[in-house]
Amino acid sequence: QQVTGKLRNFAEQEYLDCVYEGSRNGCNGGWPDDCYTYSQKNGGRLAATADYKYAARDGSCKGSSKPNAMVAAKIVGYTSVGRTESASIEALATGSLSVAFEETQLDRQTALQM
């Protein structure tokens, strides 16, 4: 949105299918930095959600056969951000922010019982 003024939707499914292809099941978890590295290695590309629909399951990688939606900006790198609110606010002032949460079955059950 920063570059064009329009909020764009990118294909999570491309990351699920392509980042961990052949090595592990993307639906069983992953890390944002692995996704950014995938995009970097592929020219900063990522398909639009409209072209690479979310299937809620792993599939074979079709990334290279879909149009690249990263036309106004490309993923060229990433950096870790401190774990404070002020660090997150500072990061948002210069680009996108990705947040990861680790969840286990026990955590989910505990939260439901509270």
Side-chain angles (χ1 to χ4, degrees), residues 7-8 24-25 32 34 46 60 65-66 72 74 90-91 95 98 111:
L7 185 60
R8 302 180 56 115
R24 70 176 175 173
N25 183 344
D34 293 336
L46 187 59
S60 60
S65 69
K66 303 296 180 182
K74 298 198 179 314
E90 186 177 327
S98 170

Side-chain angles (χ1 to χ4, degrees), residues 14-73:
E14 182 173 355
Y15 282 154
L16 279 174
D17 292 346
C18 302
V19 171
Y20 299 113
E21 185 175 46
S23 61
R24 70 176 175 173
N25 183 344
C27 284
N28 282 337
W31 296 102
D33 53 331
D34 293 336
C35 297
Y36 304 145
T37 299
Y38 162 81
S39 287
Q40 266 185 287
K41 287 181 179 178
N42 289 283
R45 68 152 285 115
L46 187 59
T49 302
D51 295 320
Y52 203 141
K53 302 255 191 268
Y54 184 67
R57 65 183 183 284
D58 289 312
S60 60
C61 182
K62 300 171 197 69
S64 62
S65 69
K66 303 296 180 182
N68 183 10
M70 298 293 258
V71 292

Side-chain angles (χ1 to χ4, degrees), residues 55-109:
R57 65 183 183 284
D58 289 312
S60 60
C61 182
K62 300 171 197 69
S64 62
S65 69
K66 303 296 180 182
N68 183 10
M70 298 293 258
V71 292
K74 298 198 179 314
I75 296 173
V76 295
Y78 60 91
T79 186
S80 294
V81 175
R83 295 180 179 193
T84 65
E85 181 180 6
S86 60
S88 295
I89 291 169
E90 186 177 327
L92 281 170
T94 60
S96 298
L97 182 65
S98 170
V99 179
F101 295 93
E102 183 175 352
E103 178 191 349
T104 64
Q105 186 67 28
L106 179 61
D107 291 338
R108 189 176 318 125
Q109 291 173 346

